[in-house]
Amino acid sequence: MRHNFGAGPCILPQEVFKQASRAILDFKDGLSILEISHRTPEFESVVEEAGRLVKELLNVPEGYSVLFLQGGASLQFAMVPMNLLGDGETASYLDSGVWAKKAIKEVPFFGKVNVVASSKDDNYSFIPKDFIIPEDSAYFHFTSNNTIYGTEMFEFPETKVPIVCDMSSDILSRVIDVSKYDLIYAGAQKNIGPAGVAVVIIKDEILGRIDRKIPSMLDYKLHIEAGSLYNTPPVFSIYVAMLNLRWLKSKGGVAEIEKENIAKAHALYTEIDRNPLFKGTCAVEDRSRMNVCFVMTNSELEKPFLKYVEENGIEGLKGHRSVGGFRASMYNALPITSVHTLIELMQEFEEKTNN
């Protein structure tokens, strides 16, 4: 058995793969999901159900729209300021990792950017705290989970400024209060579905306040009016996302999966802290449940350990080059049995090293 700890595109439930594979052969009356027109009632119902499930699972209040867009979360780095930041206005950003930094880079094309705090000088090993968000900010943007560095933001700032969040790596992994956000976006390839689509949850009333002319494909309002069907969407990615959202609902929803995610993270961090061969790379209070980053106390043992776990069924454990070491991504579909297998291999390697 293989155990997939890859950071993304990541593990999805086996039952979702089976359902999706059947639809490739026959989605409707002998037609594949890969060849069905996105204008058919059958596919329109897929988009509608996927959006309805996002709202149900996250308890999205009235007055919000759910969009399925192309370009991944990276396109949202530009779409957000293009739609929300007027000429001469300033948006505030928290710099907590590579993806936050890339989002910041896009803002000056449309307005001014104010970086309220950064942990860059410490290799993004913690989430900055006690920063001040100017009240005249057009909006405040932050990344809730930093995949590369293994940090996660568990306490969000209280502010009257509109809040925008890149939630790509931890959306649907824990209960959140959507009413506190004005815009949430997430690449699908972590907890939502396969790569190729991004989900945007947007408070309708924040749109239409700037005078800028926006290209049609980058205008949230046009996508809302078209029901995510302004142009040909990534049909298969949305379909698989719908299946995965059904799976999450069948598991008891976000509240139940959060319990599993807490248990998985607790088990692995406990072993990292116990085992003298390993150590974590980020501040304990900011440790991500989704992406556990760690190194070996003796770096010369890292290649032998990686070889050992790969020979025993572990996939995707190698850390990002910015951090080194290892990264165990534990998204919703990863069973806790895979975590226990990794822990057992860590203990076996400890015993082999000491003998």
Side-chain angles (χ1 to χ4, degrees):
M1 178 179 177
R2 308 303 290 179
H3 306 275
N4 185 2
F5 288 89
C10 71
I11 186 172
L12 289 172
Q14 286 297 308
E15 61 191 79
V16 169
F17 286 138
K18 292 176 182 178
Q19 291 171 309
S21 64
R22 288 196 293 268
I24 289 176
L25 296 175
D26 186 354
F27 172 69
K28 175 69 175 178
D29 298 331
L31 287 177
S32 167
I33 186 65
L34 301 179
E35 62 182 346
I36 196 84
S37 169
H38 64 289
R39 298 298 182 189
T40 61
E42 289 81 11
F43 184 71
E44 288 178 353
S45 69
V46 168
V47 177
E48 290 169 3
E49 181 179 351
R52 186 168 63 250
L53 284 168
V54 170
K55 288 185 174 182
E56 180 181 347
L57 289 165
L58 290 174
N59 195 26
V60 177
E62 292 294 322
Y64 285 75
S65 295
V66 174
L67 297 173
F68 297 93
L69 303 178
Q70 298 176 64
S74 294
L75 183 58
Q76 297 306 309
F77 298 163
M79 281 188 73
V80 167
M82 181 178 284
N83 283 263
L84 303 184
L85 185 61
D87 294 336
E89 292 184 331
T90 300
S92 291
Y93 278 65
L94 182 67
D95 179 19
S96 58
V98 163
W99 303 111
K101 184 179 180 181
K102 289 187 176 184
I104 291 167
K105 183 181 177 182
E106 301 299 314
V107 182
F109 289 107
F110 311 102
K112 300 175 184 177
V113 61
N114 169 44
V115 178
V116 298
S118 175
S119 53
K120 180 180 178 181
D121 290 345
D122 290 285
N123 201 33
Y124 297 119
S125 60
F126 68 95
I127 300 289
K129 302 170 184 67
D130 300 324
F131 49 83
I132 296 174
I133 304 169
E135 293 183 0
D136 61 350
S137 302
Y139 61 85
F140 169 65
H141 177 287
F142 69 96
T143 305
S144 55
N145 186 91
N146 298 282
T147 315
I148 292 174
Y149 302 94
T151 59
E152 190 167 3
M153 198 165 177
F154 295 104
E155 294 185 8
F156 305 134
E158 293 292 333
T159 179
K160 295 180 180 178
V161 172
I163 291 183
V164 176
C165 182
D166 176 357
M167 210 173 282
S168 293
S169 292
D170 59 349
I171 193 169
L172 295 170
S173 71
R174 56 176 173 166
V175 176
I176 61 168
D177 183 354
V178 174
S179 69
K180 292 184 176 181
Y181 302 83
D182 293 84
L183 192 151
I184 294 169
Y185 65 90
Q189 65 277 9
K190 312 290 186 179
N191 281 324
I192 300 172
V197 65
V199 173
V200 178
I201 304 168
I202 189 166
K203 194 173 187 178
D204 298 327
E205 67 181 35
I206 70 170
L207 297 175
R209 55 169 291 275
I210 64 171
D211 296 328
R212 177 183 300 113
K213 292 183 178 180
I214 302 173
S216 298
M217 275 295 291
L218 302 176
D219 190 335
Y220 288 130
K221 289 182 68 177
L222 286 182
H223 285 292
I224 291 171
E225 292 167 3
S228 296
L229 298 173
Y230 179 77
N231 70 318
T232 304
V235 171
F236 187 64
S237 293
I238 294 174
Y239 176 70
V240 179
M242 182 202 71
L243 296 178
N244 194 50
L245 293 165
R246 282 181 183 174
W247 169 84
L248 180 55
K249 181 178 178 180
S250 74
K251 293 273 291 181
V254 176
E256 288 302 311
I257 208 70
E258 181 176 21
K259 294 176 184 177
E260 293 186 22
N261 290 330
I262 290 173
K264 289 186 290 188
H266 175 74
L268 185 51
Y269 281 123
T270 297
E271 176 59 23
I272 290 169
D273 292 339
R274 181 211 66 81
N275 195 318
L277 296 184
F278 303 94
K279 63 179 179 180
T281 59
C282 64
V284 172
E285 67 272 17
D286 298 326
R287 284 175 163 178
S288 170
R289 296 173 188 162
M290 294 290 96
N291 310 102
V292 177
C293 293
F294 58 105
V295 296
M296 302 197 78
T297 51
N298 179 357
S299 60
E300 293 182 359
L301 292 175
E302 290 188 355
K303 287 185 178 179
F305 175 71
L306 186 62
K307 183 175 184 290
Y308 181 70
V309 296
E310 288 177 346
E311 289 174 345
N312 285 276
I314 301 293
E315 297 282 351
L317 194 66
K318 186 176 181 180
H320 191 275
R321 61 184 179 276
S322 300
V323 179
F326 312 101
R327 173 175 57 186
S329 293
M330 303 187 298
Y331 299 114
N332 287 349
L334 184 80
I336 196 167
T337 51
S338 291
V339 179
H340 290 159
T341 297
L342 175 58
I343 291 171
E344 290 168 5
L345 292 171
M346 292 167 72
Q347 293 170 349
E348 289 175 11
F349 194 79
E350 177 192 15
E351 185 176 346
K352 284 165 56 72
T353 303
N354 290 336
N355 289 340

